[in-house]
Amino acid sequence: MFEDISPRDGSVVAEVARGSADDIDLAVRAARRAFDDGVWALADPRERKRVLLRWASLIDEHSEELAQLESADVGHPITDARNVDVPNARNCIAWYAEAIDKVYGEIAPTGADALALVGREPLGVVGAVIPWNYPLIITAWKLAPALATGNSVVLKPAEQSPLTALALAELAAEAGLPDGVLNVVPGFGEEAGEPLGRHPLVDKITFTGSVDVGRRFLRYAGESNGKAVSLELGGKSPHVVLADVEDLDRAVDAIGWGIFYNAGQTCHAGSRVVVERGLVAPLAERLTQFAREMVPGDPADPSTTLGALVSDEHLEGVLGRVERAAGDGARLLVGGARAEPVAGGAYMEATVLEALDPADPIVQEEVFGPVLAIQQADDAEHAIALANGTGYGLAAAVWSSNITTAHRVARRLRAGTVWINTFDASSLATPFGGVKDSGHGRDRSLHALDAYTHLKTTWVAL
Ligand code: NAP
Ligand code: MG
């Protein structure tokens, strides 16, 4: 067992089973059996749809419980857990349920003496390894398409945030998902994650987390059975703010929420602002004001917008990065310190700084906290170079009132998503993922079905 600590106040919220390699092996074998039986994989898609929709409605029925668990486990403000985390997870499951009986195969062009069918088939056993920042949402992004397409899944949540994945699995069983099709094994990365990554009966790993661990999964696959791996890794997403931005206040609002929502612990958080020189002062002033108004509060209080960071250890790391940035010559404009709205919790002030050297770690490395770095650009061309000047490529935004300029810049930003005059707008219908160090593979949309199926050709002689 291990203790699951709430970052709200440092208290122990649960004792959680500490999954071992043996537990992973049991879970994988159960998943394999269920898959080979065909009880789920070969079911009529309308049947899978029925079960998944029933699961979605059970999530609705238990929405308050799930929101409370998520908030206590990772420190999300309860209002966000209620309005964003739970409904997004639920909607994702319902979306793939609704889609799965409407996806057709193909007939390939052939001569008159043949019929060549191209259809999707599930891969088999999928191992899903999840980070702590959005446990409900990312779990749903993996489970919904993997299960809708007929796979069996073994899921390992992050050690900091196992509670809602376990609750979701209980509800899935209640919804009628057959035994063995979904298995959740909580535990630590080295003890449960690695054996899953190396298991010879796992056909696919879908991973969201850090670059370092993502690359380990490629290694595990290469050294075991060559299983498929998709990786959704971190980001250092830039806003490019051009001098002809139409509405600076609107940009400030989007930039502020884009970094301080979930205390900056978002893979695509807009953690950099690359701004044309003439606008630096007014933009920095407004962002500083925005950060001042973003006061850390008790996640259990419905009026809180900036909750806790996931753990004290993570908070210490974020504070250390800000301190090092100041040592590197960055100008701290606001924040930078620990806060204590609830005794014993892991809180930090919303922080804005101006970075002077694009090579500084505060510009190059993911902070995963409420820390925004402003970078000055000479012109649009320089802004593009600065925006693309990190190893990451998850998301970016352009702010300009000129539609031609905005599209020209957007086209040259290397990222899986580029927003124009907005930030963090998305839907289940749009794919999400990255390029470069941010990984490969896409969650959400019908394209995610590609990650959990292979194309089978059946050639018939006529
Ligand atoms: P992490 O340390 O990479 O952990 C992710 C998962 O991998 C956890 O379940 C973790 O287990 C497991 N793990 C850790 N070490 C492992 C190992 N040696 N072998 C196998 N599994 C291992 O990432 P995190 O700290 O949870 O999350 C933050 C990171 O995720 C950030 O870099 C963020 O940008 C990224 N992220 C990316 C996206 C995206 O879609 N691109 C979305 C969200 C987050 P334990 O925690 O139990 O050790
Ligand atoms: Mg926790």
Side-chain angles (χ1 to χ4, degrees):
M1 303 290 268
F2 66 97
E3 292 185 336
D4 182 7
I5 310 276
S6 174
R8 174 177 176 263
D9 58 1
S11 65
V12 176
V13 283
E15 299 271 339
V16 179
R18 181 166 165 176
S20 64
D22 286 344
D23 297 315
I24 288 289
D25 186 55
L26 279 174
V28 170
R29 286 177 192 282
R32 189 81 243 169
R33 263 195 314 277
F35 185 77
D36 292 343
D37 280 356
V39 50
W40 181 251
L42 299 180
D44 187 324
R46 289 175 301 176
E47 167 63 9
R48 295 202 295 266
K49 169 182 174 172
R50 197 188 59 74
V51 172
L52 294 176
L53 285 179
R54 168 103 184 98
W55 188 19
S57 52
L58 285 170
I59 292 172
D60 278 335
E61 280 170 35
H62 292 80
S63 59
E64 181 58 20
E65 175 192 334
L66 288 165
Q68 294 287 351
L69 277 178
E70 192 86 323
S71 176
D73 208 358
V74 292
H76 287 196
I78 186 65
T79 300
D80 295 339
R82 284 179 183 140
N83 295 342
V84 181
D85 298 298
V86 177
N88 277 17
R90 180 238 172 258
N91 291 343
C92 178
I93 290 164
W95 198 89
Y96 285 98
E98 290 289 0
I100 202 61
D101 63 347
K102 300 170 191 71
V103 179
Y104 290 75
E106 299 166 356
I107 298 175
T110 59
D113 61 347
L115 174 64
L117 309 174
V118 182
R120 280 179 192 277
E121 286 196 349
L123 295 174
V125 177
V126 172
V129 180
I130 307 295
W132 46 258
N133 58 340
Y134 291 95
L136 271 171
I137 293 176
I138 296 174
T139 294
W141 284 4
K142 308 295 192 195
L143 290 185
L147 293 174
T149 45
N151 296 280
S152 296
V153 180
V154 177
L155 181 132
K156 194 206 83 66
E159 66 191 68
Q160 296 90 342
S161 59
L163 301 184
T164 47
L166 290 164
L168 282 183
E170 265 179 39
L171 297 177
E174 197 181 326
L177 195 68
D179 286 352
V181 172
L182 171 60
N183 308 267
V184 175
V185 183
F188 297 158
E190 297 76 10
E191 297 173 6
E194 177 165 352
L196 184 59
R198 291 188 180 278
H199 204 293
L201 298 180
V202 172
D203 300 287
K204 162 85 193 224
I205 289 286
T206 176
F207 173 81
T208 295
S210 61
V211 174
D212 174 51
V213 177
R215 290 184 181 182
R216 280 174 201 248
F217 276 98
L218 292 174
R219 217 151 44 229
Y220 302 156
E223 289 170 5
S224 57
N225 60 342
K227 57 180 68 67
V229 177
S230 10
L231 302 176
E232 306 268 9
L233 309 175
K236 194 73 194 176
S237 304
H239 289 266
V240 172
V241 184
L242 299 179
D244 65 354
V245 55
E246 187 168 333
D247 183 343
L248 196 59
D249 287 330
R250 217 176 109 214
V252 166
D253 204 56
I255 294 167
W257 283 111
I259 181 63
F260 299 130
Y261 183 79
N262 199 26
Q265 303 165 117
T266 302
C267 43
H268 60 274
S271 51
R272 296 188 293 142
V273 180
V274 178
V275 52
E276 276 196 78
R277 192 180 306 288
L279 268 183
V280 172
L283 187 63
E285 190 194 311
R286 284 177 221 208
L287 285 169
T288 300
Q289 188 52 34
F290 187 102
R292 283 216 176 86
E293 288 164 15
M294 206 77 196
V295 181
D298 183 352
D301 177 345
S303 68
T304 293
T305 49
L306 179 55
L309 278 73
V310 74
S311 67
D312 210 62
E313 190 190 353
H314 180 60
L315 168 62
E316 285 298 330
V318 174
L319 291 167
R321 284 173 185 277
V322 172
E323 203 177 292
R324 187 174 61 178
D328 287 340
R331 291 200 307 126
L332 184 66
L333 303 177
V334 61
R338 191 183 252 282
E340 203 173 22
V342 183
Y347 301 87
M348 180 178 173
E349 295 170 348
T351 301
V352 181
L353 43 80
E354 192 183 341
L356 302 180
D357 184 346
D360 283 348
I362 200 70
V363 172
Q364 293 295 324
E365 295 173 7
E366 190 174 44
V367 173
F368 232 54
V371 180
L372 178 66
I374 299 177
Q375 297 177 261
Q376 220 175 92
D378 301 331
D379 52 28
E381 201 56 37
H382 186 212
I384 292 169
L386 289 174
N388 285 335
T390 75
Y392 290 105
L394 190 54
V398 191
W399 294 87
S400 166
S401 55
N402 183 315
I403 190 168
T404 306
T405 311
H407 276 286
R408 278 180 187 276
V409 174
R411 186 166 288 186
R412 290 182 52 205
L413 292 175
R414 290 208 62 208
T417 298
V418 179
W419 288 287
I420 295 180
N421 295 331
T422 186
F423 193 78
D424 203 13
S426 71
S427 88
L428 285 161
T430 54
F432 178 79
V435 295
K436 296 160 61 183
D437 287 350
S438 296
H440 48 77
R442 294 293 180 265
D443 286 317
R444 300 200 318 237
S445 84
L446 291 180
H447 294 289
L449 302 180
D450 297 340
Y452 302 104
T453 52
H454 71 92
L455 295 177
K456 178 184 261 184
T457 299
T458 307
W459 186 286
V460 187
L462 298 181

